[in-house]
Amino acid sequence: MLAAFISRVLRRVAQKSARRVLVASRNSSNDATFEIEKCDLHLLEEGPPVTTVLTRAEGLKYYRMMLTVRRMELKADQLYKQKFIRGFCHLCDGQEACCVGLEAGINPSDHLITSYRAHGMCYTRGLSVRSILTELTGRRGGCAKGKGGSMHMYTKNFYGGNGIVGAQGPLGGQIAEAFNMAALWKLPCVFICENNLYAMGTSAERAAASTDYYKRGNFIPGLKVDGMDVLCVREATKFAADYCRSGKGPILMELQTYRYHGHSMSDPGVSYRTREEIQEVRSKRDPIVILQDRMVNSKLATVEELKEIGTEVKKEIDDAAQFATSDPEPRLEELGHHVYSSDSSFEVRGANPWIKFKSIS
């Protein structure tokens, strides 16, 4: 299904000019300059640039990453329906420009904390597709050795998803207090709202008297960013990171994006929004299509090259899924392992006082 979608998109790109492509210039150094949407600003005199340079290497990298996240999430959907994945599972397809653009705008040494819809950021932070899908199926080869599942994945400088809604802001407190402390102490912290327009099943317009989430920091400067454009997210993230690194304190970014799936796997996603609305976004604002259009029309890549990347990504996802469904599950006696990263072994009580497990770091 996805392969057919990509094929149709690429054919369309080859046949006509893209709606969102605005090529300002093209030179012989294998790059192109694009206009990007201007960000709305709060308590800022100037914001991110409205033009940016994309190199061929960057474009191909971003395209592969976004396509990998898209296919990975669709494979997770399939594995869930086949009952290889159990429990909670929140997919981020449609929001690929957010995770890829964020990673492109920060340093690997920067620290990232996110919520439960985290598979894409797990991948962009360095976890392999195999380790992510294998964690989703609860197998020993997963990034958390099969014990974390969809909402609890971690890697270096990535403090993973967590199951508490909104807890990633202050990691256990309240967001207003987190804003206050960050501003009071001028902490170099970028707060990000991935606004996909819906809560579990309620639209932002029905739930919020003010939907200007980038202003919710009040005394903290804010940006409203086109979260469906990887270049816009990249430039806004660079701007926000530079702002924090300069000692000015925290900043808030609202990335306006859209999720194609429902809130979780138990939510079909069409009881509170129409199929036509979803299709409208897919046809006009899909983040992968926007980047494809720019690259092909500016001659940074050919349709054939992008098809080849699609073939390679499909194989990577299929191979990862095969491993994720055949890798053994953790042994029961490993249930208490890795409670602490480094500590001497100790006993962990099980479901009752007579069941004991040994914790090994």
Side-chain angles (χ1 to χ4, degrees):
M1 181 178 175
L2 182 61
F5 166 72
I6 292 173
S7 180
R8 290 198 303 272
V9 167
L10 291 174
R11 284 200 302 271
R12 190 175 73 233
V13 169
Q15 292 169 356
K16 63 180 183 178
S17 298
R19 288 176 297 273
R20 295 289 300 274
V21 174
L22 296 167
V23 182
S25 67
R26 172 78 201 280
N27 57 41
S28 59
S29 62
N30 220 17
D31 59 35
T33 301
F34 298 96
E35 294 180 15
I36 55 177
E37 188 171 322
K38 183 179 180 180
C39 295
D40 292 339
L41 308 179
H42 173 62
L43 299 181
L44 291 167
E45 293 184 0
E46 60 179 356
V50 293
T51 63
T52 186
V53 175
L54 177 70
T55 67
R56 169 179 159 81
E58 289 171 339
L60 293 175
K61 177 183 177 181
Y62 301 160
Y63 179 80
R64 182 183 292 272
M65 293 178 76
M66 288 201 292
L67 191 58
T68 298
V69 173
R70 174 72 56 86
R71 284 188 178 274
M72 180 176 70
E73 294 295 69
L74 293 181
K75 180 59 71 173
D77 173 75
Q78 180 185 354
L79 293 174
Y80 196 98
K81 291 171 179 173
Q82 293 172 339
K83 299 187 177 179
F84 285 109
I85 298 174
R86 301 297 186 109
F88 293 106
C89 185
H90 305 83
L91 305 179
C92 69
D93 50 313
Q95 301 181 199
E96 295 87 356
C98 294
C99 57
V100 174
L102 284 170
E103 190 63 33
I106 61 177
N107 301 325
S109 58
D110 291 327
H111 301 276
L112 182 65
I113 307 169
T114 186
S115 61
Y116 46 78
R117 200 178 306 281
H119 306 162
M121 289 188 184
C122 291
Y123 175 71
T124 56
R125 281 268 92 180
L127 289 174
S128 68
V129 174
R130 173 182 282 201
S131 70
I132 294 170
L133 289 182
T134 307
E135 187 60 38
L136 290 176
T137 59
R139 309 302 176 100
R140 295 174 69 180
C143 57
K145 303 187 184 301
K147 296 187 291 184
S150 176
M151 293 192 285
H152 304 281
M153 301 185 189
Y154 312 91
T155 189
K156 186 176 181 181
N157 297 331
F158 178 65
Y159 306 94
N162 63 83
I164 304 172
V165 177
Q168 70 274 18
L171 262 185
Q174 296 295 323
I175 195 67
E177 280 78 0
F179 284 166
N180 180 65
M181 293 171 69
L184 190 64
W185 296 337
K186 289 190 177 296
L187 300 181
C189 182
V190 181
F191 292 99
I192 297 171
C193 168
E194 283 185 274
N195 180 12
N196 59 26
L197 307 185
Y198 291 92
M200 292 178 67
T202 307
S203 68
E205 285 76 10
R206 291 179 57 209
S210 171
T211 57
D212 288 333
Y213 297 106
Y214 70 107
K215 297 180 180 178
R216 291 288 186 93
N218 295 317
F219 38 79
I220 296 177
L223 301 167
K224 181 189 284 187
V225 185
D226 181 0
M228 301 299 273
D229 181 353
V230 68
L231 299 185
C232 201
V233 176
R234 182 187 72 174
E235 294 308 311
T237 303
K238 286 180 179 179
F239 174 88
D242 290 343
Y243 180 94
C244 289
R245 295 188 213 282
S246 68
K248 296 178 181 177
I251 192 169
L252 174 61
M253 288 205 306
E254 176 188 346
L255 308 182
Q256 289 209 319
T257 184
Y258 197 86
R259 58 170 164 82
Y260 291 160
H261 269 84
H263 168 72
S264 66
M265 297 306 295
S266 61
D267 170 22
V270 292
S271 60
Y272 48 85
R273 59 183 181 176
T274 64
R275 295 183 188 275
E276 289 75 20
E277 176 185 307
I278 302 171
Q279 186 55 41
E280 176 84 359
V281 177
R282 284 184 179 273
S283 63
K284 294 184 177 180
R285 297 185 60 225
D286 186 90
I288 298 176
V289 175
I290 291 172
L291 182 60
Q292 285 173 175
D293 290 350
R294 282 176 165 155
M295 294 184 68
V296 172
N297 283 278
S298 63
K299 296 182 171 54
L300 289 179
T302 66
V303 172
E304 290 71 24
E305 285 177 306
L306 299 184
K307 282 185 177 180
E308 180 64 26
I309 290 175
T311 301
E312 294 169 0
V313 168
K314 182 179 184 303
K315 184 178 186 308
E316 179 185 6
I317 301 297
D318 290 343
D319 290 347
Q322 177 62 34
F323 180 84
T325 54
S326 59
D327 193 46
E329 296 179 353
R331 297 191 301 270
L332 183 61
E333 56 266 28
E334 297 176 5
L335 190 61
H337 289 188
H338 313 111
V339 175
Y340 296 101
S341 62
S342 59
D343 206 342
S344 57
S345 62
F346 59 94
E347 284 191 339
V348 178
R349 202 188 87 172
N352 61 61
W354 300 278
I355 298 178
K356 304 278 188 179
F357 298 101
K358 178 166 284 191
S359 177
I360 301 174
S361 298

